Amino acid sequence: MIRVNTAQLAAGPPRPAFGGGRLSGVARRRRVALLEVLGATVWCIGGYHLLIEPTRRLEVGVSGAILHLFGVSGISAALGNAFIVFGPQGPMVAVLTPSCSALTSLLALSALALVVLRERSQALTGFLAAALWVLAANQVRLLSSLLAGRYFSLDTLLWFHDWVGAALNFIYTLVGLLIMIALTMHTPERAEQDKAGRHTARRPDAWARPGLGYRTELDSLPPPPRIRPVSLIHRYLLPREVSRRLAALRERSRVDYRIGHLPPDERAEAVRALAERGLAVHTATLVAVATNDDDERVLDTLADVVAARQWEPASDKRILGLRLWARAWLMRRQAGDGSAATAGAANADAAPAAKASPSVPATGTDAAVDGGDAVPQADGTPPAARLVAVTGAGGPAGVAVIRALQAAGERVLALDANPDAVGLRLAGEFAVLARADEDGYGDELLRVIDKHRPAALICTVAEEYAALRAVVPELDERGCRTWIPSAETTEACLDKARFADVLHDHGVPHPPTARTAAAALAELPGPWVVKPARGRGSRDVVYAKNRTRLKAAFTAVPSAIAQTQLTGREFTADVLIGRDGQVLTCVPRWRDETKAGISVRGTTFDSTAVTTVVAAAVHAVGLTGPANVQGFVGAPEVLDSDPDAEVGVTVVEINPRFSGGLPLTLAAGADVVAAYLAGILDPDAQLSPLTFLPGVRMARYFAEVYYTADGGPLADPLALQPAP
Amino acid sequence: MKAVAVPADAAPAAPAHPATGPRHHRSRLALYAVLLGVAFLIFGVDETIYTISFALNLIFLAYFVRHLAFAISGARWAERDLRAANVGFETYTPPVAVLVACKNEELVVDGMVSALLNLDYPADKLTLVVVDDASEDGTGARLDAWAAADPRLRVLHRQPGAGGGKSGALNDALAISLDGVPADVLVIFDADHEPDTTVLRRLVRHFRDPSVGAVMGRCVVRNGMESHLASTIFVDYLSGYLVNEYGRQALFELPAYGGANCAVRTSTLRTLGGWNPDTVTEDTDLTLRVLLMGQRVRYDPTAVDFEEAVSSSQRFWKQRHRWALGHQKCLRDYWRPVMKSPHLSWIDKLETMMFLWVYHVPVLCGVGLLFSALRTIGIGGPAPNTLLPLSVLLFAGPFAELAVGLLLGRVERRAAWTLVGFVPSFGLAILTISKAYLDGMWGRQYTWVKTARTGGVTTAPATSPPPPAPAQPADKPAQPADKPAQPAHRPATPSREEPRESAQPPAVPGVPAGPEPPFSFAIRPGMAA
């Protein structure tokens, strides 16, 4: 016996007592079911008392008529509700007792048909067939008993009555029930699964009711019946107008599943054509589209035509449902995240076209003047109404992402803890948040999301991931999607000591690492680089050429680690990894010149060895999404002539976010921002690999934005004036 | 690739389970016999049998009303539920861990894993853990090959003698594989189950309600074509899930957590100390413990997975014997806590007790039939015809449920005649469940008996399984292969358009298994612009 811990019992508050105040939903449903059961009971008892005598007389009369028909003598039905049987032992009266009547079985079947099957169109046919069967079978039972009494003895009649009759009663009632059920069930051509559970209706996946048949190869579909009585009635008996009106009535509640098999464009056109004939004509099909379809073009079309037909009388309550749905759909679209579900890939395709637009600003300064408003597409179509939030708007990665999104025609909501962060002035909308390591970050972020309703959020600061991860479910609920790596992966990237362990464990080339000065002196050859285990942007990085400086560095640098200073040429690779772990692109670039950890001059290059080691490194930490991998290449000069040369590659660190040098990767043709956004908006999207052009060079310069103390814009005095 | 071996003596990290009580109830059986004898002496045999028969008829009447009410609720509302639109399907995706315990499941494990890998859920919020419970066939090796091919899959190997059956395997997964893994919800499947792609989203959406501790989905038989028995079980499942379980939710908010294709809140399970290893029906046991701690179980008829029905009568009755044994034990273990629970209203307690009594009713039917047989020889009263109402009540309720199940499932009408097969099965159920009752009361020790599979029908995506690695000896758990072959089901990595002579990437020692990276993403001379 389990002894339940009383502490477990007290884990939650007691449920409110049942029955207090108004009835709950479950109590109402229970009441409906109980009333049905009571109704069935009243039906059976009342029917029995009202009908038993007439039924007995009817059954006696029918039995007498049958016996007379077949010329059986010696049995008379003259008494009305009993027989006189002239058996071998003399005449006797056999009373047809209530238990011998078929009435109880008929009442039970009718009660089941009434309370359980009454909403099924074939239930009445099923019940009538079952009733005929039961009446006939009971006649067989009665006649068998009477004949046994007529030709054998009274005991035989009683034996038939008590035993064979009772068994027959049970069997024919059961068979009657089966007849009723079978005729109420669906014909093979209307059913959705066969008797083995295979799906036979060929419904489109998204439109089929869940679990009605498993999908497998069918040997053959049941052939349609050659003759349909209903068709004959419509063709030869009913007036054409009546037949037409009945067909129209039927069409309103029939779902045209064929539409579900069409490609989206054709589906949208079919929906428009159906709706334009009147919402009341193909209502069931239109409701099925709103319920099951997941293609935005189709749903947009449906919402538009429903909106256009608001003059139409709401003659069916399903039309009201369609209007409510269309209202919510159009409001969501207007709010900016209506295309979140599936438009990601389409947007990724549209991005290059937008970038080619002559109206796209060439510099960040121009973008600031534009105020970050959505840029018209190259073909002149209105800009996408989608809003994307970007955190870390003050950093170079944030600025690069903001500009990339704007170039792709997206609207941007810039977020940063610093009210003077430059990215806030580049974007069309912005908000200042608490720092991610402060209390209230999550609440503040959700408040901003509630206000602006962005469709997606891109985080460009890896240190924010932990705080952001805590509110991802709430963001999802608000229709704001994001994509951040797991806590384990983030930690492995941010903690350089742990990062070294992971890479060494996976055999990915990484410089030997020591956590103390003594260990560094004993195990690592110099010169050394000493850096904080958690740090970014080359802050607190010290290069130590001798033992004294190494020891001093360990006292100056918080939570320091030491690594042997690498030789070779430093590179950064911008990578994008799909949710399935597939590396979608790897764009290595030389860090020709850096300032404060940011690459200000660089050149893209191609190397099989670098790509392979970078992929191994991101797999080792289990990363998905964007990242930049930094490392060194030994003997880099051979790559100029042979990208497949086997050069030594060592990974130094991975930042699980976009890099500050992102513009160079974008310029080289790998639009990682658009692909990442597509992956955020549609987690199931099959993102395509991105290629890039090696040898693209970047030289950066400062740009400025100007604003007043209260945040108002100021003109750029250095901006080129348009020609008169 | 993540595969972990669990030594046989590994201490479970889960908190201790509630202590188990006496292993047998022979004294109670003796007490029943004595009470019957005393009643015979005081009131006489006829009067006693008549009174007991009358009481039995009342019990059958109560169950008939319950079945009929479920049939009515299913007929009224279930079809609309199946058609209703999904709300907030994409926006609520808490971290989920899927757990599957496998023991000698070589025939079905590929379909199961393939279906798991095809689940529609954000990859960064999904952890897949399959426990190889000391399989003696190629299950472990196949799982290792799958795990090596797909980093999303974690495999945990248990050694022979680890104990606890399915509960033990799941508890190990909870303690070891999910240690430190963020998982708000655990979703459980059996090895022969192949979930529909949307099942996770459908199950987890109910956890928006903080009072929900567990959610049950709907199991559908996928091998009905294999045998008459399987097609009969297919019909039985339609009734059980679309009518009975649905009715329990619609009328009482008390559906049962079923052990497979179901989800449980991780914090709830940890509070309860994991699955109970001292029961052979850990699902009913957990249902009761969730209710007793004040949380609720929900049922989603649209969260579907496809399972394999047993295809031989012997396997079927073994399985039902186990279910009966475990369910009857739950009644003995929990009826007192249920009656005392402050979290259940009186009607909740009534329904829960009727639910717990379900596997005792066939035993009472056996008693009723025995009394009827005695009456045919003049003991206990002269009227054998009074058997008839009893028979009708026995059959009418379940048949009403079966009929509604067939209608809701939109099955073709030929399947109605399958119902004939249920008549003799009721008789066999009386025998099997009565034997389980006596086994339980007598204290016969039950050991887990694995349900044999055929693996003949699969609904999983048409992907090739990984090449089977050689089976490991029973006393040595399979270990992951260092360099597994690339499975056929993986999508091809993007290849360059330019043919290359040197197509082998440079060897990188220790590069972890995973999707092979392309050699380079750069546009090189000769490539199409």
Side-chain angles (χ1 to χ4, degrees):
Chain A
M1 176 189 297
I2 297 284
R3 296 200 184 97
V4 176
N5 188 343
T6 51
Q8 293 173 8
L9 293 176
R15 293 189 80 218
F18 167 77
R22 301 174 67 180
L23 281 179
S24 66
V26 67
R28 285 176 187 276
R29 287 192 294 273
R30 205 156 45 219
R31 189 174 62 178
V32 168
L34 276 176
L35 285 175
E36 298 261 14
V37 174
L38 283 175
T41 308
V42 170
W43 171 270
C44 288
I45 294 174
Y48 179 82
H49 284 292
L50 283 174
L51 299 175
I52 187 62
E53 279 309 314
T55 309
R56 285 169 67 196
R57 290 178 180 279
L58 175 70
E59 288 187 297
V60 168
V62 170
S63 295
I66 292 172
L67 290 169
H68 180 72
L69 188 67
F70 284 95
V72 178
S73 61
I75 301 175
S76 168
L79 294 180
N81 59 4
F83 300 94
I84 304 170
V85 182
F86 297 90
Q89 298 157 333
M92 57 186 165
V93 175
V95 180
L96 193 147
T97 62
S99 67
C100 293
S101 170
L103 182 64
T104 48
S105 297
L106 291 175
L107 286 171
L109 291 176
S110 62
L112 276 179
L114 267 178
V115 300
V116 176
L117 306 177
R118 69 164 177 263
E119 291 180 3
R120 312 282 157 177
S121 56
Q122 301 295 321
L124 181 61
T125 310
F127 169 70
L128 290 176
L132 276 177
W133 158 260
V134 167
L135 285 170
N138 199 49
Q139 284 299 318
V140 172
R141 173 196 179 192
L142 292 176
L143 294 172
S144 303
S145 301
L146 292 171
L147 291 174
R150 166 70 181 83
Y151 293 107
F152 296 100
S153 64
L154 174 64
D155 289 343
T156 314
L157 188 151
L158 291 176
W159 186 78
F160 250 93
H161 175 265
D162 288 351
W163 289 101
V164 179
L168 277 176
N169 180 282
F170 176 73
I171 291 169
Y172 70 64
T173 306
L174 182 63
V175 173
L177 178 65
L178 292 180
I179 289 172
M180 187 170 76
I181 294 171
L183 290 181
T184 310
M185 287 169 65
H186 304 84
T187 56
E189 57 271 20
R190 288 184 180 274
E192 295 198 23
Q193 47 187 334
D194 66 9
K195 64 177 185 174
R198 293 175 295 185
H199 180 84
T200 55
R202 309 288 194 200
R203 299 278 185 264
D205 267 343
W207 286 40
R209 289 169 223 196
L212 293 202
Y214 55 92
R215 310 250 170 179
T216 184
E217 288 301 317
L218 293 171
D219 302 331
S220 62
L221 282 176
R226 284 185 170 188
I227 299 174
R228 296 173 190 265
V230 176
S231 303
L232 293 177
I233 291 170
H234 279 284
R235 189 165 183 178
Y236 296 112
L237 296 180
L238 294 178
R240 185 176 296 269
E241 182 59 21
V242 172
S243 188
R244 194 186 65 76
R245 285 180 180 274
L246 287 175
L249 201 62
R250 202 168 51 246
E251 188 65 28
R252 289 170 58 184
S253 33
R254 190 182 74 94
V255 176
D256 188 349
Y257 289 97
R258 291 171 300 182
I259 292 179
H261 292 286
L262 298 174
D265 289 336
E266 294 179 34
R267 211 154 68 229
E269 280 312 303
V271 166
R272 182 184 299 281
L274 290 182
E276 286 177 350
R277 293 177 64 184
L279 299 180
V281 178
H282 300 279
T283 320
T285 301
L286 297 178
V287 170
V289 170
T291 304
N292 300 312
D293 211 301
D294 56 3
D295 189 280
E296 300 225 352
R297 284 164 288 179
V298 179
L299 296 174
D300 281 346
T301 302
L302 178 60
D304 287 341
V305 290
V306 170
R309 299 190 68 84
Q310 294 180 65
W311 60 268
E312 193 171 327
S315 54
D316 187 321
K317 62 184 177 185
R318 288 175 298 180
I319 295 176
L320 291 177
L322 271 177
R323 281 204 195 169
L324 280 173
W325 168 82
R327 176 175 183 269
W329 179 261
L330 292 174
M331 284 178 71
R332 180 168 172 261
R333 194 171 67 178
Q334 190 180 19
D337 59 353
S339 53
T342 54
N347 181 64
D349 295 336
K355 290 174 96 174
S357 165
S359 64
V360 174
T363 69
T365 309
D366 292 340
V369 172
D370 285 348
D373 288 339
V375 177
Q377 305 290 319
D379 59 1
T381 55
R386 189 164 50 193
L387 183 66
V388 180
V390 179
T391 70
V399 169
V401 170
I402 290 169
R403 291 182 55 205
L405 288 170
Q406 290 175 328
E410 310 290 355
R411 295 187 297 126
V412 176
L413 166 65
L415 305 171
D416 202 285
N418 180 359
D420 284 323
V422 66
L424 303 184
R425 270 77 213 176
L426 299 177
E429 301 173 38
F430 69 88
V432 179
L433 295 174
R435 286 172 55 95
D437 53 1
E438 292 175 357
D439 290 341
Y441 168 84
D443 292 339
E444 210 165 313
L445 177 62
L446 292 177
R447 183 182 51 75
V448 170
I449 298 300
D450 279 337
K451 180 181 176 186
H452 294 269
R453 310 298 291 184
L457 184 146
I458 296 176
C459 178
T460 66
V461 184
E463 286 76 5
E464 288 184 5
Y465 284 160
L468 188 58
R469 192 174 294 110
V471 294
V472 165
E474 287 82 359
L475 292 175
D476 281 344
E477 287 176 8
R478 288 160 171 80
C480 177
R481 296 188 169 190
T482 190
W483 173 6
I484 57 178
S486 70
E488 192 181 3
T489 297
T490 308
E491 187 60 20
C493 293
L494 296 181
D495 184 341
K496 293 184 174 62
R498 189 166 168 184
F499 179 71
D501 292 342
V502 172
L503 260 60
H504 288 149
D505 288 348
H506 285 79
V508 181
H510 184 68
T513 304
R515 290 172 173 77
T516 62
L521 289 170
E523 299 165 10
L524 307 185
W528 304 272
V529 55
V530 179
K531 49 191 173 186
R534 289 175 176 273
R536 59 182 309 217
S538 301
R539 292 167 198 151
D540 293 327
V541 175
V542 176
Y543 294 92
K545 293 183 178 176
N546 55 47
R547 302 166 66 90
T548 307
R549 289 197 173 187
L550 177 72
K551 290 177 181 174
F554 263 92
T555 59
V557 176
S559 304
I561 62 166
Q563 294 174 331
T564 299
Q565 197 173 329
L566 296 174
T567 57
R569 193 170 181 185
E570 189 176 8
F571 74 91
T572 291
D574 283 332
V575 290
L576 181 64
I577 308 107
R579 292 179 193 265
D580 58 356
Q582 181 189 356
V583 178
L584 298 167
T585 193
C586 172
V587 185
R589 51 187 161 83
W590 300 121
R591 291 163 68 90
D592 296 329
E593 184 181 346
T594 58
K595 287 182 180 173
I598 303 300
S599 177
V600 293
R601 281 200 306 119
T603 310
T604 58
F605 69 97
D606 180 19
S607 166
T608 298
V610 168
T611 302
T612 305
V613 173
V614 165
V618 295
H619 285 151
V621 294
L623 193 62
T624 67
N628 63 91
V629 181
Q630 295 178 8
F632 285 81
V633 175
E637 56 281 355
V638 298
L639 293 177
D640 294 337
S641 56
D642 180 10
D644 295 326
E646 294 194 15
V647 293
V649 181
T650 307
V651 169
V652 177
E653 66 179 67
I654 297 178
N655 296 309
R657 56 171 173 78
F658 287 119
S659 69
L662 177 65
L664 176 52
T665 294
L666 299 173
D671 195 348
V672 288
V673 176
Y676 179 52
L677 180 60
I680 291 175
L681 294 173
D682 183 3
D684 298 325
Q686 290 296 313
L687 301 178
S688 302
L690 304 171
T691 55
F692 72 97
L693 198 62
V696 177
R697 299 175 68 84
M698 173 188 73
R700 284 184 141 170
Y701 67 101
F702 284 109
E704 303 83 18
V705 293
Y706 305 94
Y707 52 100
T708 61
D710 59 359
L714 279 179
D716 180 359
L718 306 180
L720 293 175
Q721 297 299 317
Chain B
M1 173 174 60
K2 292 177 181 173
V4 181
V6 186
D9 57 352
H17 287 277
T20 53
R23 293 283 181 186
H24 66 81
H25 306 272
R26 293 172 199 166
S27 55
R28 197 181 297 176
L29 273 181
L31 178 65
Y32 295 158
V34 169
L35 287 176
L36 188 63
V38 169
F40 282 159
L41 285 174
I42 297 175
F43 303 108
V45 174
D46 285 1
E47 186 65 23
T48 304
I49 288 180
Y50 178 82
T51 307
I52 294 175
S53 297
F54 182 76
L56 289 180
N57 274 289
L58 289 182
I59 292 173
F60 298 145
L61 177 65
Y63 274 91
F64 167 73
V65 171
R66 180 173 178 265
H67 283 302
L68 190 60
F70 290 167
I72 290 168
S73 67
R76 289 287 168 282
W77 307 305
E79 195 152 34
R80 292 177 204 158
D81 275 356
L82 291 176
R83 281 194 306 221
N86 301 303
V87 180
F89 214 51
E90 298 86 4
T91 54
Y92 184 74
T93 51
V96 167
V98 174
L99 306 182
V100 185
C102 299
K103 187 175 181 66
N104 298 338
E105 304 283 7
E106 188 178 24
L107 292 174
V108 292
V109 74
D110 289 332
M112 178 269 292
V113 174
S114 179
L116 292 189
L117 294 174
N118 201 40
L119 284 170
D120 169 31
Y121 207 74
D124 57 332
K125 293 181 179 173
L126 179 61
T127 306
L128 304 172
V129 180
V130 182
V131 185
D132 166 32
D133 195 2
S135 296
E136 294 161 355
D137 61 2
T139 302
R142 298 189 82 82
L143 287 174
D144 283 338
W146 279 104
D150 199 308
R152 290 176 292 169
L153 188 69
R154 300 173 182 219
V155 177
L156 182 70
H157 294 282
R158 299 182 90 210
Q159 287 201 340
K166 180 181 171 185
S167 296
L170 294 176
N171 281 334
D172 276 353
L174 182 64
I176 298 169
S177 293
L178 296 183
D179 187 26
V181 174
D184 294 349
V185 177
L186 304 174
V187 178
I188 318 301
F189 298 107
D190 279 350
D192 62 313
H193 287 231
E194 292 174 359
D196 182 74
T197 54
T198 61
V199 76
L200 295 186
R201 291 184 188 274
R202 292 179 188 277
L203 287 174
V204 302
R205 57 180 163 169
H206 301 280
F207 289 99
R208 287 175 191 264
D209 179 353
S211 71
V212 172
V215 179
M216 180 65 204
R218 178 157 76 91
C219 300
V220 175
V221 169
R222 71 166 186 268
N223 61 331
M225 69 178 79
E226 282 193 332
S227 67
H228 286 299
L229 178 62
S231 64
T232 305
I233 297 172
F234 156 67
V235 174
D236 189 31
Y237 271 40
L238 284 177
S239 152
Y241 281 98
L242 285 178
V243 186
N244 194 285
E245 182 84 344
Y246 181 88
R248 297 197 68 218
Q249 169 155 284
L251 301 182
F252 299 99
E253 282 190 79
L254 288 170
Y257 166 93
N261 190 27
C262 48
V264 57
R265 198 185 290 276
T266 311
S267 58
T268 300
L269 189 67
R270 290 192 190 278
T271 304
L272 293 172
W275 285 274
N276 184 357
D278 293 321
T279 177
V280 289
T281 49
E282 85 295 341
D283 44 7
T284 309
D285 181 274
L286 189 61
T287 303
L288 270 297
R289 289 193 287 151
V290 168
L291 293 177
L292 290 173
M293 76 178 289
Q295 294 194 345
R296 287 274 146 174
V297 179
R298 295 277 185 252
Y299 167 58
D300 191 328
T302 69
V304 173
D305 85 344
F306 298 92
E307 72 166 273
E308 191 181 288
V310 292
S311 55
S312 83
S313 297
Q314 195 179 10
R315 293 173 188 166
F316 175 77
W317 292 115
K318 272 187 182 173
Q319 187 186 52
R320 297 299 157 115
H321 178 268
R322 175 172 68 82
W323 291 359
L325 200 67
H327 204 94
Q328 289 163 352
K329 182 178 185 299
C330 282
L331 172 65
R332 292 191 288 269
D333 288 345
Y334 288 108
W335 74 269
R336 284 190 185 88
V338 165
M339 296 311 290
K340 292 177 184 171
S341 172
H343 305 296
L344 299 173
S345 65
W346 66 268
I347 203 154
D348 291 344
K349 290 174 183 173
L350 177 67
E351 162 56 21
T352 305
M353 290 305 292
M354 290 189 81
F355 168 68
L356 285 174
W357 265 89
V358 158
Y359 274 93
H360 282 75
V361 172
V363 182
L364 300 181
C365 290
V367 173
L369 289 174
L370 177 65
F371 285 173
S372 298
L374 290 175
R375 291 161 85 174
T376 62
I377 56 173
I379 304 173
N385 269 358
T386 53
L387 175 68
L388 196 61
L390 181 142
S391 306
V392 170
L393 293 185
L394 280 180
F395 285 89
F399 266 85
E401 285 192 357
L402 288 165
V404 175
L406 286 170
L407 287 166
L408 291 175
R410 300 181 72 85
V411 186
E412 60 167 315
R413 63 171 46 138
R414 280 184 301 168
W417 304 105
T418 312
L419 302 187
V420 175
F422 283 85
V423 179
S425 77
F426 284 153
L428 284 172
I430 289 172
L431 293 177
T432 306
I433 294 170
S434 298
K435 180 180 183 306
Y437 175 76
L438 292 174
D439 286 347
M441 297 296 279
W442 199 255
R444 286 199 182 94
Q445 287 299 303
Y446 182 87
T447 51
W448 276 85
V449 178
K450 206 207 95 53
T451 305
R453 319 284 189 202
T454 66
V457 180
T458 181
T459 60
T463 54
S464 302
Q472 300 294 320
D475 59 346
K476 184 182 176 188
Q479 295 296 327
D482 285 339
K483 285 284 179 184
Q486 187 78 357
H489 81 284
R490 294 290 309 164
T493 51
S495 58
R496 298 172 51 197
E497 296 170 39
E498 178 191 24
R500 293 168 60 90
E501 293 290 332
S502 55
Q504 295 301 316
V508 180
V511 172
E516 288 286 333
F519 310 132
S520 167
F521 295 92
I523 301 172
R524 295 182 179 180
M527 290 178 69

